[in-house]
Amino acid sequence: MSGAAIYIRRQMNLSDFKIGLLMGSFSIYALLGSAAAGRTSDWIGRRYTIVLAGAIFFVGALLMGFATNYAFLMVGRFVAGVGVGYALMIAPVYNAEVSPASSRGFLTSFPEVFINAGILLGYVSNYGFSKLPLNLGWRFMLGIGAVPSIFVGLVILAMPESPRWLVMQGRLGDAKRVLDRTSDSKEESELRLSDIKEAAGIPQECNDDFVSVPRSRHSHGEGVWKELLLRPSPAVRRILLAGVGIHFFQQSSGVDAIVLFSPRIFEKAGIKNDNEKLLATVAVGFVKTMFILVATFFLDRVGRRPLLLSSVGGMIFSLAMLGTSLTIIDHSHHKLMWAVVLSILMVLSYVAFFSIGMGPITWVYSSEIFPLRLRAQGCGFGVAVSRVTSGVISTTFLLLSDAITTGGAFYLFAGIAIVAWIFFFTFLPETQGRTLEQMDDLFGEFRWRESNNKKSNNNDNKEETNGNGDGNGNGQIHLGATTGNTSIHAQS
């Protein structure tokens, strides 16, 4: 939409407010999809919810491509936004629930990888279709998005259903078959099934293909919102604040302002030619995609906290320098090439630091910390906060830039990023080396002063468990405590 907005504005003669509304409303519409996705995925399953998301976005992309006026275009944005909201909530949940312990961080970050690949392809298509006549170019820029949704819908049908969802439906036989296919070993498959059964309230001795799930644990959403929002346990309260907080700060630190309005930022920096602005956005997409690929290989090696804190630290520096360079350009009466180059470099630096930590870790972290019974609705609530924040930032960025200058807006984002770094440092424990079923204990006992030593403590516990367990390392870490009936998986 960033490139298409240039030509939509010209053809329809739109104001900054209408362009901002066109951009920002998409995230608000996605809020509706993410809010509905939790209950939908509990009813029809994670896999078919992804198919539904693809179908909705397909319709929305076609509506945008064939739009004849601003109102018609907004209808298309509404439909496509709902589809994106569904996908943003369910894709990380599905990946986290299907992935083996050893590669959960890597696989759960894949939705963010493909989002960035899509952004890059969008920038490239913007540049290519900009050569078409004014009334056709932007239509192809928006309508071409229908093609990937067909591919996603077909591919997901060949993939297995979430074993955790299957267990919550009492389908133990189907869940066991999926776990056998997606685990690193037969032993891991059995241990994962045991943990999931315990979380679902199913007795360990129940091994029938179909079992009755206790009503209080049944995953159709009954009582979930009460437990999540009205009467949460201390651990669930911390999990909810962590999930909501990481989504809020991801968006409020200005990523959508740069991704959606990069042509306007480059124009403020002194690049006036449309082709040059669109080529510069291609560079943004390329850097963003390359660095998120790097991040996927470090999530399961380095851990969440080091990557996240380093990422946000780099974002703070980039935002502050971008604000400085744009402010200097605003107050200069002639073109300062060094300031123009610095602005471009800081935009690229920002998206690089964002993509190596804040971008993928938000989705990985929020999808793995909620207990099984609360995961769909908890992740949906986090995505809802993300979409509201994104909508506010996208809708108001142009107006904010007019009020306090573009440089001032990025100083504001830098200030928010500083608060984010403090929040992450003091509130988010390391989840590397934990199974999904251990998160209640992790958040219930987490103390931020211990967080820097958490990884070393995990290693000590592993050695201790190997000495006290069954001789094969089959123990489970609970922040210093071990149990002898489950296993440690090297996961993140």
Side-chain angles (χ1 to χ4, degrees):
M1 176 56 79
S2 62
I6 298 173
Y7 304 101
I8 292 172
R9 178 174 186 156
R10 288 178 187 168
Q11 182 173 348
M12 298 186 182
N13 194 27
L14 301 179
S15 65
D16 278 351
F17 174 76
K18 285 191 173 182
I19 288 293
L21 188 61
L22 184 65
M23 297 286 204
S25 61
F26 190 78
S27 293
I28 303 300
Y29 302 148
L31 166 64
L32 301 178
S34 64
R39 176 61 67 89
T40 304
S41 68
D42 280 345
W43 277 100
I44 68 175
R46 315 313 197 205
R47 190 173 57 143
Y48 287 114
T49 302
I50 297 175
V51 174
L52 177 62
I56 295 172
F57 184 82
F58 175 82
V59 174
L62 291 183
L63 289 174
M64 288 189 291
F66 287 105
T68 55
N69 53 47
Y70 183 76
F72 196 161
L73 186 59
M74 288 293 282
V75 172
R77 293 287 282 175
F78 170 77
V79 176
V82 171
V84 167
Y86 265 93
L88 285 175
M89 177 269 160
I90 195 57
V93 171
Y94 174 79
N95 280 351
E97 293 186 346
V98 171
S99 303
S102 59
S103 56
R104 191 176 74 232
F106 174 75
L107 294 175
T108 307
S109 66
F110 260 42
E112 184 72 9
V113 172
F114 287 113
I115 287 172
N116 282 272
I119 290 172
L120 173 58
L121 291 176
Y123 286 150
V124 172
S125 68
N126 287 347
Y127 180 74
F129 291 133
S130 67
K131 314 301 180 185
L132 296 176
L134 179 62
N135 67 328
L136 289 179
W138 65 266
R139 297 181 187 279
F140 278 96
M141 293 177 190
L142 299 179
I144 196 69
V147 176
S149 62
I150 299 174
F151 176 75
V152 169
L154 293 176
V155 168
I156 197 65
L157 290 175
M159 298 174 69
E161 181 54 86
S162 160
R164 288 169 171 84
W165 182 81
L166 291 171
V167 169
M168 294 300 285
Q169 311 310 308
R171 296 164 56 182
L172 290 186
D174 291 336
K176 186 177 185 303
R177 284 186 283 274
V178 172
L179 289 170
D180 288 343
R181 293 168 57 191
T182 59
S183 297
D184 293 329
S185 65
K186 183 75 171 178
E187 292 75 16
E188 182 187 2
S189 171
E190 293 173 356
L191 290 166
R192 289 173 70 188
L193 181 60
S194 175
D195 286 345
I196 297 169
K197 286 166 65 177
E198 181 180 356
I202 299 173
Q204 293 296 333
E205 60 272 16
C206 268
N207 293 308
D208 296 336
D209 284 352
F210 296 93
V211 300
S212 176
V213 179
R215 184 65 179 175
S216 62
R217 304 292 187 100
H218 205 276
S219 183
H220 286 327
E222 296 89 341
V224 167
W225 291 113
K226 181 184 293 185
E227 183 177 358
L228 188 65
L229 299 177
L230 300 181
R231 296 178 182 174
S233 66
V236 169
R237 186 182 300 112
R238 290 182 66 90
I239 288 171
L240 180 63
L241 289 175
V244 168
I246 196 169
H247 274 291
F248 170 77
F249 284 117
Q250 183 199 46
Q251 295 300 324
S252 61
S253 57
V255 62
D256 277 354
I258 285 183
V259 171
L260 294 176
F261 297 101
S262 51
R264 183 68 68 93
I265 296 168
F266 292 135
E267 183 178 338
K268 288 286 186 182
I271 302 175
K272 304 301 182 183
N273 182 272
D274 283 350
N275 282 339
E276 293 176 354
K277 284 187 286 187
L278 292 176
L279 280 174
T281 62
V282 171
V284 171
F286 179 79
V287 170
K288 204 169 186 294
T289 303
M290 291 303 101
F291 275 86
I292 201 163
L293 287 173
V294 172
T296 61
F297 292 100
F298 282 100
L299 277 168
D300 291 313
R301 293 179 173 88
V302 177
R304 281 55 159 159
R305 276 177 61 91
L307 278 179
L308 184 61
L309 295 173
S310 301
S311 167
V312 178
M315 289 164 56
I316 293 168
F317 171 78
S318 302
L319 288 166
M321 293 302 294
L322 178 59
T324 300
S325 61
L326 291 175
T327 300
I328 291 172
I329 290 171
D330 274 344
H331 290 82
S332 175
H333 298 294
H334 57 278
K335 189 171 184 177
L336 299 174
M337 186 52 65
W338 68 267
V340 174
V341 172
L342 181 61
S343 296
I344 296 172
L345 290 178
M346 287 304 101
V347 169
L348 298 179
S349 172
Y350 173 85
V351 297
F353 278 113
F354 178 88
S355 295
I356 207 168
M358 178 74 99
I361 289 174
T362 296
W363 302 103
V364 173
Y365 201 88
S366 64
S367 67
E368 67 187 0
I369 60 176
F370 286 98
L372 174 60
R373 65 193 181 278
L374 308 176
R375 188 168 299 136
Q377 283 81 2
C379 290
F381 191 71
V383 173
V385 170
S386 169
R387 293 304 88 200
V388 169
T389 309
S390 171
V392 171
I393 297 294
S394 303
T395 302
T396 61
F397 176 71
L398 295 178
L399 301 177
L400 182 66
S401 297
D402 291 339
I404 63 173
T405 75
T406 305
F410 287 111
Y411 280 135
L412 176 61
F413 293 144
I416 294 173
I418 291 173
V419 177
W421 193 95
I422 296 171
F423 175 80
F424 297 151
F425 182 79
T426 59
F427 205 81
L428 270 61
E430 179 60 71
T431 57
Q432 185 184 19
R434 308 286 176 176
T435 65
L436 296 182
E437 285 68 38
Q438 286 178 293
M439 296 303 171
D440 260 347
D441 293 329
L442 175 62
F443 276 83
E445 301 177 20
F446 172 68
R447 299 294 182 273
W448 73 269
R449 292 180 180 85
E450 304 169 5
S451 60
N452 290 331
N453 298 321
K454 197 66 64 184
K455 190 173 180 179
S456 62
N457 289 344
N458 288 351
N459 292 334
D460 292 342
N461 285 339
K462 289 181 183 180
E463 294 173 2
E464 181 180 330
T465 304
N466 286 340
N468 299 327
D470 63 3
N472 297 316
N474 290 340
Q476 186 179 18
I477 309 171
H478 286 286
L479 272 73
T482 59
T483 61
N485 62 341
T486 50
S487 111
I488 299 172
H489 303 304
Q491 70 180 46
S492 32

